[in-house]
Amino acid sequence: MTASVLMKVENLSKHYKMGEVTVKALQNASFEIYKGEFVVILGPSGSGKSTLLNILGGMDKPTEGKVLLREQEVTKFSEKQLTKYRRDQIGFVFQFYNLMANLTAKENVELATEICKEPLNIDDVLRDVGLDERKNHFPSQLSGGEQQRVAIARAVAKNPLLLLCDEPTGALDYKTGIAILSLLSKINKEYKKTIMVITHNAPIAQMADRVIKMRSGKVVDNQINENQIDPERIEW
């Protein structure tokens, strides 16, 4: 059975005016993401990765081109529709965890799920990310890796169609980063969530189903990874 297309990106461009200069942050990016894929968007700083993520996540609008999620043209959505899209369809995981300091781990996750249509069971998700015994702790009582687990639980518990992760290991040491990549792999397989990880860290691409490489605002390569390895075997 052929996997269905979840997201289609067509000729996506984003240009910014900086005085008299036009910065082409993204240029004619086109690709498809299939349901259940683990995708890595790989490129150096300034390659357009974050601009792409912001548009795919409904946080910014392109200068030209289209983004379609399940045939809905996201790039034509009104602000109200984009808010609903970010709330119901997309889960976000950032480099810095963006947790509410005055809420416990469980309360941080609950806050995100209160406005969603079909959230997952919070206790189940916290258990699956390894926080069952830490769920009543505040962020200041948690390590960086544990805080990132809370952020992942918060995104997953919303039950989104697509999980967008922007440098999710960027603020973590190597050992903790590998643990977070292993967790994302587990979420991909066990929850059957489509995951996109944006990173400059080339070895992370070894665990992906699909690797999309960017340079100078352009997609320069889009390949299925035939030789995937487990996150535990990644070294950098």
Side-chain angles (χ1 to χ4, degrees):
M1 183 175 167
T2 306
S4 59
V5 174
L6 178 68
M7 178 173 273
K8 189 179 291 188
V9 175
E10 297 181 356
N11 301 313
L12 207 60
S13 295
K14 180 68 178 182
H15 302 162
Y16 297 97
K17 278 282 190 184
M18 303 279 284
E20 296 181 3
V21 177
T22 299
V23 177
K24 296 181 178 180
L26 198 61
Q27 300 182 63
N28 299 314
S30 296
F31 55 87
E32 293 179 347
I33 302 298
Y34 291 82
K35 187 177 178 183
E37 277 192 317
F38 194 113
V39 181
V40 166
I41 307 279
L42 181 65
S45 178
S47 61
K49 306 186 305 296
S50 293
T51 301
L52 176 64
L53 178 137
N54 288 339
I55 295 171
L56 300 188
M59 294 183 287
D60 197 3
K61 291 192 174 185
T63 306
E64 297 170 355
K66 297 179 184 178
V67 175
L68 297 101
L69 184 82
R70 283 184 167 177
E71 303 302 321
Q72 299 177 88
E73 191 172 335
V74 176
T75 35
K76 279 192 173 178
F77 282 178
S78 66
E79 288 302 323
K80 186 176 180 180
Q81 288 173 312
L82 283 172
T83 299
K84 191 169 182 293
Y85 168 76
R86 291 191 297 266
R87 184 188 70 201
D88 295 336
Q89 314 282 20
I90 306 295
F92 295 99
V93 178
F94 297 103
Q95 178 175 349
F96 301 105
Y97 326 115
N98 299 327
L99 302 179
M100 301 290 286
N102 61 336
L103 299 180
T104 65
K106 184 174 180 178
E107 289 167 345
N108 266 281
V109 179
E110 283 174 337
L111 188 65
T113 59
E114 281 175 359
I115 55 173
C116 297
K117 281 184 180 176
E118 298 175 1
L120 302 175
N121 182 283
I122 292 168
D123 287 315
D124 288 348
V125 175
L126 284 166
R127 184 195 64 234
D128 287 345
V129 301
L131 289 173
D132 199 32
E133 296 180 1
R134 306 284 282 166
K135 61 188 177 187
N136 295 318
H137 288 66
F138 292 95
S140 62
Q141 299 171 309
L142 301 173
S143 68
E146 287 171 332
Q147 289 185 65
Q148 191 62 296
R149 286 172 184 269
V150 177
I152 292 169
R154 179 179 59 189
V156 171
K158 287 172 57 180
N159 201 15
L161 287 175
L162 177 63
L163 204 60
L164 295 177
C165 307
D166 191 4
E167 299 281 6
T169 64
L172 304 172
D173 63 78
Y174 168 74
K175 185 177 178 182
T176 308
I178 292 297
I180 291 300
L181 293 175
S182 297
L183 174 58
L184 288 172
S185 179
K186 175 183 175 182
I187 297 295
N188 171 245
K189 292 178 172 66
E190 295 185 8
Y191 283 84
K192 295 181 168 52
K193 290 295 172 193
T194 309
I195 295 180
M196 181 183 290
V197 171
I198 288 181
T199 184
H200 68 277
N201 194 343
I204 292 176
Q206 297 172 92
M207 67 180 284
D209 296 311
R210 179 185 301 278
V211 181
I212 296 171
K213 294 181 181 178
M214 296 189 68
R215 187 167 58 242
S216 303
K218 297 178 181 178
V219 171
V220 294
D221 197 21
N222 178 1
Q223 296 287 336
I224 297 295
N225 181 13
E226 303 285 0
N227 301 298
Q228 273 178 286
I229 68 172
D230 292 332
E232 292 82 2
R233 293 173 54 206
I234 294 174
E235 295 182 3
W236 66 75

